[in-house]
Amino acid sequence: MISPVSSILVNKYGSRPVVIAGGLLCCLGMILASFSNSVVQLYITVGFIGGLGLAFNLQPALTIIGKYFYRKRPVANGLAMAGSPVFLSTLAPFNQFLSNTYGWKGSFLILGAIFLNACVAGALMRPLGPKQTASPSKNKIGIKEESLGSEKIHKKKSLAQKINHYLDFSLFKHRGFLIYLSGNVIMFLGFFAPVIFLAPYAKDQGIDEYSAAFLLSVMAFVDMFARPSIGLVANSKYVRPRIQYFFSLAILFTGVCHLLCPLAKNYSSLVVYAAFFGFGFGSVSSVLFETLMDLVGAPRFSSAVGLVTIVECGPVLLGPPLAGKLVDVTGKYQYMYMSCGAIVVVASIWLLIGNAINYRLLAKERKKEQASKNDAQLRESRESEPLSKPTQDVIVKDAKAQDSPSERETNI
C-alpha cells in the first residue's frame, strides 16, 4: 500500500536516500519489536514500521537497475531477484537458531542489526548523470522575470497536477501497461497460494512435517538458480525483442505445474513437483519487472511499479484466504491446486493474446509514422525543387542572352 509513496520519493529525491531511510525504518521496527508486550504492538512495529521500510527498499532497488543497465538488464534483474530465494531458504532455520540461542527479543535485535546493511546498499546506489545547473546570465531583469513567471505557473498547478508530476497516472492510458496490469491481477489470485499450502498438502498426504518443510527448501533452491539463468536467456537476441511472450509462457508453465500437482501421490513425486514449481516461480519472478520496464521505459518505471503494486495488493491478499476457504469446503487440497493452476493458465492466455494484439498495433503505428515522415520529406523536396533547380527554358534563354556581339552579327 505504501509503494506509490515510495515511487514519489524516488522520483523526487532518488534511490539512495530512500533506501537508507528504508533500512533505518526496518532496523527501528525490529528494535521496537524487542520491547513489545502484546500482539498489537508487534503489528505496529514489525507490520507497519518494518513494512514501510521494506517498501522503501524494494522500489528504489528495482528502479536503479534500469538506470545502471540496458544491454544486460534482464541478467541484472535476474541476479538481483535471486537474493529472495536465498534468504527464503535460510531464513527459517536461521530464525529458529536465533530464537533458541538468544530468545525472541534477542532475535529481533539481531535482525534489526542485519537490516542496517540496507543502508550500506543504499549508499552504494550512486546517482548517474551530471546535475543540471542554470546557465549564468548577465541580465538580472530577465532572471527576475523568469523566476516570477515560474512562480505564477507553479501557483496555477492543481494538487492533481502536482501528484501526477511525481506519480505518472497517464500510464493508465498506456495500452501495454494495461495489458500487463490486468494479466498480473488475474495471475496473482492463484500465484502464491500453492506456496503457502505446499507443506500442509504434503502433511495431508501422510508425510512427516520435516520432510514436508524440506519441499519448500527444494523449491527455493531451484528458484535460486532459475532466476539468474532465466535472466540470461531473456537477455539473448532471440528472446528480448519478444520478452512479453516469454513472460506469458513462463506463467503458462507454472499454471500447468499446478494442474498436474494432484497427480503427485508420494513424496518423490512431490519433490519433482516442488522442483518444477521452483523453476516456474523463478522464471516468472526473474522477468516480472523486466517486462514492465520493457513496456514503459526506465524513466517511468518507478511510477509504474508503484501503481502496479497498489493494484496487485487486492489479488495478493485475497488469493490465499480464498484458497483456504476452498480447502475447508471441499476437504481436499487437490481442488485448490487445480483452481490455482486454471487461474494462472487463464492469465497466461490473456497475456499472450493481449501482447500479440499490442505488437501488431505497434507495428502498424510504426508503419504509419514512417509513412507520414516519408510524405513530409517528399513534400519538402518538391517545395524546394523550383528554388534549387532552374527549368530548361530559363537555361536556354540565359544562354542566348550571353551570346557575344560578333556571333549576333554573323547570324544577321
Side-chain angles (χ1 to χ4, degrees):
M1 299 294 289
I2 307 296
S3 296
V5 179
S6 178
S7 297
I8 293 173
L9 294 176
V10 170
N11 290 334
K12 187 173 183 180
Y13 300 108
S15 296
R16 176 183 285 178
V18 179
V19 171
I20 293 175
L24 293 174
L25 285 172
C26 289
C27 177
L28 178 63
M30 294 296 118
I31 293 175
L32 292 177
S34 64
F35 297 98
S36 300
N37 295 319
S38 63
V39 178
V40 176
Q41 293 176 358
L42 288 175
Y43 282 149
I44 296 173
T45 55
V46 178
F48 181 75
I49 300 176
L52 183 64
L54 291 175
F56 284 179
N57 285 336
L58 177 63
Q59 301 287 104
L62 294 173
T63 304
I64 203 70
I65 293 174
K67 294 181 180 180
Y68 281 168
F69 300 93
Y70 176 73
R71 292 180 60 188
K72 297 184 178 180
R73 193 175 63 200
V75 180
N77 274 310
L79 289 172
M81 298 297 291
S84 177
V86 173
F87 194 67
L88 178 64
S89 60
T90 58
L91 176 62
F94 179 67
N95 195 21
Q96 189 65 38
F97 169 76
L98 292 178
S99 180
N100 294 334
T101 307
Y102 303 102
W104 66 272
K105 290 187 176 183
S107 62
F108 273 126
L109 289 173
I110 294 173
L111 289 175
I114 293 174
F115 272 120
L116 278 178
N117 288 290
C119 299
V120 180
L124 296 175
M125 293 182 180
R126 180 174 57 88
L128 299 179
K131 295 183 178 179
Q132 295 181 355
T133 57
S135 58
S137 176
K138 297 180 179 180
N139 190 359
K140 296 182 179 180
I141 299 174
I143 295 173
K144 291 180 180 179
E145 289 178 354
E146 289 178 1
S147 61
L148 290 173
S150 62
E151 288 178 0
K152 289 179 181 178
I153 294 171
H154 183 70
K155 289 180 181 179
K156 290 180 180 179
K157 284 185 177 179
S158 62
L159 180 62
Q161 290 175 338
K162 291 179 181 179
I163 295 174
N164 192 63
H165 177 71
Y166 297 108
L167 194 63
D168 193 0
F169 286 99
S170 64
L171 287 167
F172 286 108
K173 298 179 181 179
H174 193 286
R175 184 175 59 242
F177 176 78
L178 292 176
I179 294 170
Y180 174 89
L181 181 60
S182 58
N184 280 12
V185 167
I186 300 171
M187 177 187 68
F188 281 124
L189 277 173
F191 194 68
F192 291 107
V195 183
I196 297 172
F197 291 99
L198 180 58
Y201 174 59
K203 293 178 184 179
D204 186 68
Q205 296 290 333
I207 299 169
D208 62 280
E209 58 181 3
Y210 293 102
S211 299
F214 182 71
L215 292 175
L216 291 174
S217 300
V218 171
M219 175 194 163
F221 183 78
V222 176
D223 186 9
M224 178 173 57
F225 290 98
R227 297 193 186 200
S229 59
I230 293 300
L232 187 64
V233 173
N235 194 57
S236 64
K237 62 180 181 179
Y238 302 105
V239 177
R240 191 169 183 182
R242 292 293 183 267
I243 196 169
Q244 306 297 332
Y245 290 146
F246 184 77
F247 178 56
S248 304
L249 293 176
I251 297 173
L252 180 63
F253 177 84
T254 307
V256 172
C257 288
H258 297 331
L259 289 174
L260 297 178
C261 178
L263 299 178
K265 300 298 183 181
N266 52 28
Y267 185 69
S268 300
S269 57
L270 282 175
V271 170
V272 173
Y273 163 73
F276 278 98
F277 179 32
F279 182 78
F281 194 91
S283 302
V284 174
S285 301
S286 64
V287 295
L288 179 64
F289 295 105
E290 171 60 28
T291 51
L292 179 60
M293 195 176 295
D294 176 72
L295 288 170
V296 302
R300 306 172 74 184
F301 178 71
S302 179
S303 298
V305 171
L307 296 174
V308 165
T309 306
I310 195 66
V311 175
E312 290 174 354
C313 282
V316 170
L317 293 174
L318 288 175
L322 291 176
K325 183 65 175 178
L326 181 62
V327 172
D328 293 337
V329 172
T330 60
K332 293 183 179 179
Y333 288 91
Q334 289 86 344
Y335 296 115
M336 185 272 297
Y337 274 91
M338 293 175 65
S339 301
C340 291
I343 291 172
V344 175
V345 169
V346 168
S348 67
I349 295 173
W350 172 268
L351 287 172
L352 278 172
I353 297 174
N355 289 323
I357 296 172
N358 187 35
Y359 277 130
R360 285 190 177 183
L361 292 176
L362 286 175
K364 289 181 180 179
E365 290 169 0
R366 286 171 190 160
K367 287 182 180 180
K368 288 182 180 179
E369 185 178 356
Q370 188 63 34
S372 62
K373 286 182 180 180
N374 294 336
D375 292 340
Q377 291 176 358
L378 185 60
R379 289 174 185 174
E380 290 178 0
S381 62
R382 287 178 178 176
E383 290 176 357
S384 60
E385 277 181 1
L387 299 176
S388 59
K389 294 181 179 180
T391 58
Q392 189 68 23
D393 295 338
V394 175
I395 294 174
V396 173
K397 289 180 181 179
D398 290 341
K400 289 182 178 180
Q402 292 177 0
D403 288 343
S404 61
S406 60
E407 289 179 353
R408 292 176 184 174
E409 290 175 359
T410 305
N411 292 332
I412 294 171

